[in-house]
Amino acid sequence: MVFQRFSMVLMLFAALPVALLGQAQNTAKPKPHVVVIGVNGMELDVIRPLLLEGKMPNLSSVIKKGAYGKLRTVSAPNCPRVYSTFFTSTKPEEHGVTGFIVGGITANTNMLKEEPIWSMLSKNGVTVGMANVPATFPVMPVNGYMISGMLTRGKNCEDGVLCAPKLSEVQGGDAVYPPAMKAELLKNVGDFYIDCERMPSAADLKGHETEAIDAWLNKVQLIRDQQTQLFDYLLTRHPTEFTWLGQSCEDRTGHWLYPIAPYNAGYNPKVNAVRTEAFPDQYIAFDKVLGAVLKRVDDNTYVIIVSDHGIKPLREFEETDPHAHMDHEKTTPVVAKHDFADGDDVPGSFFAMGPGIKHDLRLMGFEASVYDLAPTILHIYGIEQPAQMRGHVLSEIFENSDKAIAKK
Ligand SMILES: [Zn+2]
């Protein structure tokens, strides 16, 4: 019932000519600008040494100018499960996207049983732009644009799980809203990969470990370069009041190239001693993407960086963990994972800066959770938190919550 309610509102957006929405927006008073950058599986244990070494200057600048800390995640966290919690601030059992596969079907937006934030913002006249955000396929109508991310299905990625078709190869639903924007993107950005590359299988690796690792890492960088170009294009040519961009190669690299020691579970020197910098390098590469995004935002823009969970080397209790290797890694020899039954083993992370947000504030313990993102964004826009949302506004990050945010 809830789903029907919000999908009907979204169908109205689908029916409205884009020009009309633009006119309506021009007559309204200026709204806050928020850019959210989602990083799949950002691990603070790996990030912190890089920050100390000065290898992530852009994230360092966000920390100095803002608030940051761990983000309590859900149990057995994985990308679609947590992202749909970000979208709705409800439990996985409530929003319906409980994992990569739900009832034998790859998770998709038609399964969402609670209203996502892009719908609430759109209804309140906020322009919305989303690109490569996980679990947004097939795309849904918004007051702006949406380009799907992880779990998009298509050629060479028929199940949509941890692989990606090119934009021209998408099947089984739309990857771009409004549909006319697809041709524009193909012309001006190119035929980019929607999401990160599938990890090599055990058979692909055997006897060709170094070549397979290097080839995969090269592809990951190609995909990241394409994403950077896409984000730059969108931020310059299609600026929106609320923008959400996603990155997901970091997590996948961590699963099988986490720089573990020989005593860790699963250590294989042919794979794990070859490119020990590959995983930290992903965050250095992410920092460059962040730098490109920061160039396109002004001081009055809220920038929020969130990760859905961390990632840790396999543990001694793997054998009895009911969530071990849950529908995620196929045959890749993984040495790290995040779907631990206790989500507190692999917290996500949160970084925010912008007008009225405290500087250099560290959130201690588990003050912030994945449920709090949507209420906090609604708060910035002066939109009341709906009753079903389980999180709270992170008011502690604001200097003065009365004057710091948009007046209602
Ligand atoms: Zn993962």
Side-chain angles (χ1 to χ4, degrees), residues 14-68:
L16 276 175
V18 173
L20 190 67
L21 286 171
Q23 275 175 11
Q25 178 211 333
N26 289 343
T27 56
K29 63 180 178 179
K31 293 189 175 68
H33 283 226
V34 177
V35 175
V36 179
I37 305 167
V39 186
N40 186 208
M42 183 136 86
E43 174 50 55
L44 289 170
D45 286 354
V46 178
I47 295 281
R48 285 189 174 115
L50 297 173
L51 290 169
L52 279 173
E53 291 174 71
K55 289 179 174 171
M56 297 187 73
N58 295 302
L59 188 64
S60 284
S61 77
V62 173
I63 289 172
K64 282 197 192 76
K65 289 186 213 164
Y68 75 104

Side-chain angles (χ1 to χ4, degrees), residues 156-224:
N156 299 320
C157 185
E158 281 70 16
D159 63 358
V161 178
L162 299 166
C163 46
K166 288 180 177 176
L167 179 57
S168 68
E169 298 171 342
V170 172
Q171 296 159 0
D174 283 340
V176 179
Y177 177 89
M181 195 179 185
K182 182 173 173 178
E184 180 201 326
L185 293 172
L186 286 169
K187 180 166 173 271
N188 296 325
V189 184
D191 196 8
F192 56 86
Y193 286 95
I194 292 272
D195 178 40
C196 199
E197 173 80 341
R198 195 191 288 276
M199 295 178 283
S201 67
D204 293 339
L205 283 163
K206 197 169 172 52
H208 315 278
E209 287 84 355
T210 305
E211 299 94 308
I213 291 168
D214 287 347
W216 189 82
L217 289 171
N218 287 340
K219 182 85 177 282
V220 162
Q221 189 53 44
L222 167 76
I223 293 164
R224 188 179 274 110

